[in-house]
Amino acid sequence: MNIPFVNLKRQHFYLQAALNQAFKQVLESGQVMGGEVVKTFEKSFASYIGTQYGIACGNCTDALEIIMRAMEIGPGDEVLVPANGWLSAAEVTLMLGARPVFVDTHPFYYTMDPERLEEKISHRTKAVVPIHLYGLAAPMPDITRIAQKHGLQVIEDCAQAHGATVQYKRVGGYGHAAAFSFYPTKNLGALGDGGMVVTNDVELAEKVRMIANHGQQEKNKHVCQGRNSRIDTLQAAILQIKLPFLEQWNARRRSIASIYLNSWKDLDIQLPATSAGSTHIYHLFVIQTGYRDQLARFLEGEGITTEIHYPQALPEMPLFKHLNLDTDDCPVAIGQAAKLLSIPLYPELTDQEVEYVAGRVRAGIRKVY
Ligand SMILES: *Cc1c(COP(=O)(O)O)cnc(C)c1O
């Protein structure tokens, strides 16, 4: 059996008729940027998350940058980011002339460890950016409490967590603002790039919209330094079609995850854990084993492609070298990087394929240990 790490072709096949309809609509309307389709998707997505405002933009990295610009984060400021995860938040922090400060991650949940957060706060700290990594919510009640105490802005990176909840509330509704990605492989993905800022703060929403549109308050009235970041009408139309499927796709991801968890619970590997009060939506199914590379090689031989998220903790990346970070500073994230392995998990896997993966991983662990 051959199980690629992702397989977008299947989703496209299931939605073919609806997607073709979206193409047709956009082609016939002649409107390929902005318009009602984009506005409707902004409203639908914000309402799904449970926030007042949604502002579509080019991608999640842009969304994070635009939020930080709107919050006037810049030289002299520090931004707290988790030590394990995708680099966008740390990257845009640098781009704005501010300093990313890495907070170690939880050994089992992989998200920012609130116990390690407060020690990293200084008089320069302006914001904290929790990442809801792999589809599990970061501990938002703790993070927002600490942020409030120190007067910090909270920006959620929700790129891997469309529909994940903590205490019955969807992530994206906890921070002052949140950034989503619609990159094709995310739980809700376009057929190209796309992103969105969501917030309940009307002033922030207006500023974000302005910055994403060349600082224009109204046509030809440029009142602040902005940039250009937008979603195509076609991508918005496609996302509007896919949004109603998100809950069932996430449920299917959870049911595949429960099969994996059950099949491997007696093996000597670290399985994904779900913190109390959270719903994991398994954007990725990440295990830890000291025999990571051997297991990955075995699975490749069995036709199963795995990946690593992420092979290097952020503080160790050459990109951040000039910050002269203390290398002993984030031992959990740095120590884990050599053990993490992502096993294929997506809604379109058949039951037979799920059973195959479950069996092959068991066999692999027995073989390589
Ligand atoms: C994918 C991802 C991003 C970046 O999203 P883009 O839309 O590609 O810019 C940011 N943060 C996390 C955690 C991601 O997984």
Side-chain angles (χ1 to χ4, degrees), residues 59-62 64 86 88 131 133 157 159-160 180-183 186 193-194 283 310:
N59 56 62
C60 180
T61 310
D62 281 4
L64 289 165
W86 184 247
S88 292
I131 303 180
L133 199 67
D157 181 339
Q160 303 189 0
F180 282 88
S181 172
F182 304 117
Y183 185 78
K186 309 292 186 185
D193 273 314
H283 171 63
Y310 295 92

Side-chain angles (χ1 to χ4, degrees), residues 63-73 95-96 204 207-208 211 225-227:
L64 289 165
E65 183 209 322
I66 293 164
I67 293 168
M68 287 192 203
R69 281 187 190 277
M71 291 175 174
E72 292 172 14
I73 290 170
M95 192 163 77
L96 295 177
L204 190 68
K207 225 163 151 186
V208 162
I211 292 170
Q225 191 201 330
R227 42 159 307 169

